[in-house]
Amino acid sequence: MARGHLVKRGKESWSIVLNLGTDQNGQRKQQWVSIKGSKKDAEKKLSEMLHQLDMGTFVRPGKLTLAEFLDHWLRDYAKPNLTAKSYERYESICRVHLVPSLGKTPLTQLRPDAIQKLYASKLADGLAPRSVKYIHTVLHCALESALKWGLLARNPAHSTTPPRATRPDMQTWGGDEIGQFLEAAKKTQYHALFYLALYSGARRSELLSLRWQDVDLLLGQIYISRTLHHLRDGGYVFSEPKSAKSRRTVALPPSAVGVLCQHREQQQHQRQTLGSTLSESDLLFADAQGWPLRPNTVSRAWVNLAVRSGLKAIRFHDARHTHATLLLKAGTHPKIVQERLGHAGIGIQGDTYSGISPGMQQAAAQSFDDALNSGYNGRRESRQMR
């Protein structure tokens, strides 16, 4: 028996009939798919579906719900192609937001208005626009795969309008607040970590992945080449940085080098007390047994210490903003700030920090005016001397 054949239904209409073997009761299983177009179009589609059967990627259209497709997509696309942390986020978006609301809808019957209604209901429930836009990103990506795999004729998420994601308000500390915070941090196990966060501008995931082999105390540098993430199952995963620019060398001031030297001595003493030695492959910031620190625990400790110190509670991530803000106010070129933070381009500095120091624009304008007037006045004096 042929694995598939065509049945003419009308002038420009065909049905593809696939023979899928027999079920457990010996009954023949067939899949009928309607195709509009010429016989050549139908033959091409038949060939594609037979190839999918050969490769084991064929999914029966029509009966496939969005929930079933997302399960298929997460397993066959997301897991092999995303980092472990990104896969966790995608899986969570599907499980928590997409499947409960739209999961029973047949994939081919998913409409833009139903998707738009989902976005509106999530906003009404209090979900942040940024989070709702992320739901859109995941759904759109999944449906693009369905389009490429021949399961959809178009991507219905393409015809929706996700909410505009707004940046969270940037909170920073000044020099006095940093000094007050770090003085209080001396009484905690996080002093060196918090110090390095403020003096390097590195991300939390980058700091927690640092090994002693990534530190050059002689030259005063740290080499950032990976990130650390804590997974939902309790495990830890080290990953590549988020972009090529994130893989970088960050110079440290002498004070930060001194703090790290003291931290290394303390860590060596702690290991000796436990009957082990500190190696170059050990993490800079770890528990007594050398295991990674939990990122959320570190962030909570940061906020709690700020509150106890009588400071405004900024996020751990705002240490990056604080670092960048102080550098820019001191006149550091944005290109240098970009390299230290590991941003892909200077534009993000302009977008994020454009309002941190209104005087910077005036200073730049005055510098241009001074340079122009200097040249103009010089030429005028030359003419007068003639």
Side-chain angles (χ1 to χ4, degrees):
M1 180 186 298
R3 292 188 304 150
H5 62 278
L6 297 177
V7 175
K8 189 170 179 59
R9 311 292 292 185
K11 187 176 181 181
E12 290 290 324
S13 180
W14 300 81
S15 285
I16 294 174
V17 184
L18 295 177
N19 295 307
L20 304 178
T22 57
D23 60 22
Q24 59 185 4
N25 298 319
Q27 297 294 317
R28 187 171 62 178
K29 293 192 300 182
Q30 289 185 326
Q31 177 68 52
W32 287 63
V33 181
S34 296
I35 296 291
K36 289 189 178 297
S38 66
K39 184 177 182 181
K40 188 174 181 180
D41 294 332
E43 288 173 340
K44 182 180 178 182
K45 185 63 178 178
L46 172 61
S47 177
E48 290 175 357
M49 297 177 79
L50 290 175
H51 179 68
Q52 291 170 355
L53 280 172
D54 292 337
M55 300 300 294
T57 58
F58 177 75
V59 180
R60 299 179 71 176
K63 297 182 180 180
L64 183 70
T65 65
L66 178 64
E68 291 168 337
F69 167 72
L70 289 175
D71 182 64
H72 173 69
W73 176 74
L74 286 168
R75 182 185 67 247
D76 296 340
Y77 169 81
K79 199 160 192 175
N81 292 290
L82 302 176
T83 65
K85 192 65 177 179
S86 294
Y87 171 77
E88 259 197 359
R89 293 195 190 103
Y90 275 48
E91 189 278 333
S92 178
I93 289 291
C94 293
R95 174 172 44 83
V96 176
H97 299 290
L98 295 175
V99 171
S101 301
L102 301 172
K104 294 181 180 179
T105 305
L107 181 64
T108 55
Q109 295 178 28
L110 187 60
R111 293 171 53 85
D113 58 334
I115 298 173
Q116 195 71 54
K117 185 177 180 180
L118 169 66
Y119 299 160
S121 69
K122 292 298 177 182
L123 289 171
D125 290 341
L127 206 61
R130 191 182 187 91
S131 299
V132 177
K133 188 170 184 180
Y134 197 67
I135 293 174
H136 167 78
T137 299
V138 173
L139 179 59
H140 187 277
C141 181
L143 296 179
E144 277 296 294
S145 294
L147 192 62
K148 291 177 183 178
W149 296 347
L151 301 176
L152 285 176
R154 65 184 181 86
N155 185 342
H158 213 51
S159 303
T160 63
T161 305
R164 221 172 177 183
T166 56
R167 286 184 179 272
D169 291 337
M170 186 178 66
Q171 300 290 325
T172 61
W173 285 333
D176 291 342
E177 292 168 307
I178 290 174
Q180 185 177 338
F181 178 76
L182 291 177
E183 185 62 32
K186 289 181 179 179
K187 300 175 184 177
T188 74
Q189 61 175 315
Y190 301 113
H191 178 246
L193 172 58
F194 292 169
Y195 201 104
L196 196 58
L198 287 161
Y199 277 76
S200 72
R203 300 175 178 89
R204 183 185 66 179
S205 61
E206 296 168 342
L207 292 167
L208 295 181
S209 74
L210 285 174
R211 300 155 295 186
W212 283 109
Q213 67 192 53
D214 301 320
V215 181
D216 191 326
L217 293 174
L218 187 61
L219 295 179
Q221 298 177 144
I222 57 173
Y223 306 102
I224 296 174
S225 61
R226 62 181 193 165
T227 58
L228 171 74
H229 297 285
H230 186 229
L231 302 180
R232 199 166 52 238
D233 63 5
Y236 293 90
V237 60
F238 292 95
S239 306
E240 290 287 317
K242 62 188 298 185
S243 69
K245 292 290 185 181
S246 295
R247 185 184 290 270
R248 65 199 186 279
T249 299
V250 179
L252 301 177
S255 64
V257 173
V259 168
L260 287 183
C261 287
Q262 185 179 14
H263 177 63
R264 184 180 175 93
E265 290 177 5
Q266 293 172 344
Q267 207 173 47
Q268 283 176 328
H269 177 71
Q270 187 180 53
R271 295 294 173 84
Q272 288 171 358
T273 302
L274 296 173
S276 62
T277 57
L278 187 67
S279 71
E280 290 300 298
S281 62
D282 284 336
L283 294 171
L284 261 70
F285 307 113
D287 64 16
Q289 284 72 40
W291 289 98
L293 299 177
R294 291 172 63 99
N296 289 342
T297 300
V298 168
S299 293
R300 281 196 298 270
W302 170 282
V303 172
N304 291 338
L305 181 62
V307 172
R308 291 199 307 270
S309 303
L311 300 169
K312 64 179 178 182
I314 67 174
R315 303 170 303 162
F316 187 95
H317 188 74
D318 287 324
R320 278 169 64 78
H321 298 319
T322 296
H323 182 79
T325 298
L326 293 179
L327 285 177
L328 291 170
K329 283 185 175 180
T332 306
H333 194 284
K335 177 67 174 176
I336 302 299
V337 179
Q338 171 223 326
E339 291 174 353
R340 289 183 67 81
L341 296 185
H343 282 159
I346 296 178
I348 193 165
Q349 264 78 269
D351 295 341
T352 306
Y353 305 108
S354 58
I356 61 172
S357 182
M360 290 177 67
Q361 286 284 356
Q362 283 81 355
Q366 185 63 50
S367 297
F368 181 82
D369 193 42
D370 291 344
L372 188 64
N373 287 337
S374 175
Y376 171 74
N377 290 334
R379 289 193 298 274
R380 185 173 62 179
E381 290 173 4
S382 177
R383 287 196 299 271
Q384 288 175 348
M385 289 176 65
R386 293 174 187 169

